[in-house]
Every structure is written in C-alpha cells, then in structure tokens.
C-alpha cells in the first residue's frame, strides 16, 4: 500500500487529487494539510511514502516544508513531490535543491498522475523528459556553479554512464536497454552513484550531474 500525504491550501484541489487516489486499491491517502507547517507535522506523524506538496502556501511554503522533511533523518523514507501550476520555474528549481524527488503540474492527466505516484513510491525517476530538458536548458545558459564533486572520482565508468543517462531523464528500464544490462543492474549502478555522491534521490542526482560538470548540456 502506497501511503500519500496531500498538502495544498486549496481544498477543491486536494479533494480532486484525493478522489483520484481513493479509487486505487494500492494507494491510501493518510492525511491532508492546508499549509506547509501542518504538512511537516503530519509527515512526522504518519510517515507517508509520498508527500504531495504545493509550492505557494500560507504559514510555511512548500520549499521550506520540503527542506524540513528532507533534513529530518526520521523522514528519510518520505519522497516529496512538488505540485505546481507552472513549468520549471525558480520555485521548482529551489524545491528540487531542497530535497524534492520531483514535481508534477496540476493539470496532469489522472492516469499520468497515478503513474507518477507509483513511480515516486519506488524511488525511481519522476522527472519527465520534457521537464528534464527544461532543467538542462537552465545549465545551457549558466555555467556550473560548483566545481567537480569530490565523489566523482569514486564512480566507476559504468556508474558515470548511468548518471549521464539519469540526467537525460531515462528510467531504470531505459538505462538498462541503453547499457545492455538488466534493470536490476541499472538500478544498482544508479543507487551506488547516489550513495557515493550523497544524493538523496534521482532529482538531486540530475542537478549534481550538471552543477559538477559531469554532464555537459548540448547547446543545439
């Protein structure tokens, strides 16, 4: 059973998302909150697998709520997914850096929404290729803000290749096909790279890959 926490200051939207989730046998909405502060408290109380969090909320915004959840060792199993009305804007980028596992636009189709929740619960890639391209475009116009990561030298060649493919928005199955290995081996390469680079999840791995210069975006 995938346990979900909904955090959004618009009751109508929360009701809509809950109605979709409640129809599924493998998903349970364990709690709802209308602001980030209550959302963090409910995350600690219920320990959900997924916390769907809006960005702009009263009392405590989604970015700070994400940061607090990501910084709490007792909430290490909680995957934060940001809900937004926009594409990849500054708010979303900051949320990813704060520890969000990915994000969804609120006009997403119900079937895509359910798929994303299940993907996030597995800890797999949640950044869609279209979103990843926007993230890459940010680095096309800006040079990396950090130098080479100290953990890069510890990566094997296969782990570097896997990180590069993650940064292109590929799932474990797609990475496996590209590298001609099993999905389990692909997941192992990705997980080992995340561990060596101290990335909380795949979203942070993508950001780190570009910021460190491990992956260089194409300009054309």
């Amino acid at each position: 059973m995938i346990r979900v926490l909904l955090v959004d200051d618009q009751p109508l939207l929360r009701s809509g998302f809950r109605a979709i989730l409640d129809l599924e046998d493998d998903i349970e909405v364990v709690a709802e909150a209308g602001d980030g502060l209550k959302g963090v408290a409910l995350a600690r109380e219920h320990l959900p697998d997924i916390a769907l969090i809006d960005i702009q909320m009263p009392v405590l915004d989604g970015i700070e709520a994400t940061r607090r959840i990501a910084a709490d060792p007792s909430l290490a199993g909680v995957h934060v997914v940001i809900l937004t009305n926009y594409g990849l804007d500054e708010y979303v980028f900051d949320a990813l850096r704060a520890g969000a596992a990915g994000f969804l636009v609120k006009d997403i189709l119900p079937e895509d929404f359910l798929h994303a929740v299940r993907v996030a619960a597995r800890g797999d890639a949640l950044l869609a290729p279209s979103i990843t391209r926007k993230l890459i475009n940010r680095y096309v116009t800006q040079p990396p803000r950090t130098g080479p990561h100290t953990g890069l030298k510890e990566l094997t060649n296969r782990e570097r290749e896997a990180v590069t493919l993650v940064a292109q928005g590929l799932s474990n199955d797609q990475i496996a096909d590209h590298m001609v290995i099993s999905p389990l081996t692909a997941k192992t390469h990705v997980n080992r790279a995340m561990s060596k680079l101290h990335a909380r999840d795949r979203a942070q791995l993508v950001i780190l890959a570009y910021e460190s210069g491990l992956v260089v975006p194409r300009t054309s």
Side-chain angles (χ1 to χ4, degrees), residues 34-203:
D35 65 75
L37 189 62
K38 186 176 181 181
V40 174
L42 289 175
R44 291 178 176 136
E45 178 182 349
H46 293 278
L47 298 178
D49 301 299
I50 303 294
L52 295 171
I53 299 180
D54 187 24
I55 289 183
Q56 297 179 324
M57 294 184 294
V59 185
L60 190 73
D61 64 34
I63 294 174
E64 183 56 32
T66 298
R67 186 174 291 112
R68 294 187 186 186
I69 291 174
D72 189 336
S74 69
L75 300 178
V78 179
H79 301 285
V80 175
V81 177
I82 294 296
L83 298 171
T84 177
N85 290 315
Y86 314 103
L88 188 70
D89 56 18
E90 189 65 32
Y91 294 110
V92 174
F93 182 78
D94 287 345
L96 290 172
R97 290 183 58 82
F103 71 93
L104 301 173
V105 289
K106 292 183 179 180
D107 61 355
I108 188 172
L109 294 174
E111 57 268 29
D112 292 335
F113 173 62
L114 292 170
H115 174 70
V117 168
R118 294 186 173 101
V119 167
R122 296 200 307 263
D124 205 344
L126 186 55
L127 296 178
S130 61
I131 300 304
T132 303
R133 283 195 294 271
K134 292 182 180 180
L135 181 62
I136 292 171
N137 288 339
R138 182 182 182 91
Y139 289 97
V140 170
T141 58
Q142 296 182 14
R145 294 191 295 173
T146 63
H149 194 283
T150 55
L152 290 181
K153 61 180 181 295
E154 299 180 17
L155 298 182
T156 66
N157 289 336
R158 296 295 266 175
E159 288 166 356
R160 282 175 175 262
E161 184 178 359
V163 172
T164 300
L165 296 173
V166 169
Q168 294 174 8
L170 273 64
S171 67
N172 285 340
D173 288 344
Q174 292 170 322
I175 291 172
D177 290 341
H178 191 279
M179 297 178 65
V180 196
I181 55 179
S182 71
L184 179 60
T185 301
K187 184 176 182 178
T188 298
H189 286 323
V190 173
N191 288 345
R192 286 178 177 172
M194 287 172 55
S195 177
K196 292 177 180 179
L197 298 176
H198 304 290
R200 175 183 168 92
D201 49 45
R202 295 170 75 104

Side-chain angles (χ1 to χ4, degrees), residues 193-220:
M194 287 172 55
S195 177
K196 292 177 180 179
L197 298 176
H198 304 290
R200 175 183 168 92
D201 49 45
R202 295 170 75 104
Q204 288 196 331
L205 189 62
V206 171
I207 292 174
L208 188 150
Y210 285 100
E211 286 194 334
S212 67
L214 175 61
V215 178
V216 179
R218 298 177 181 177
T219 56
S220 61

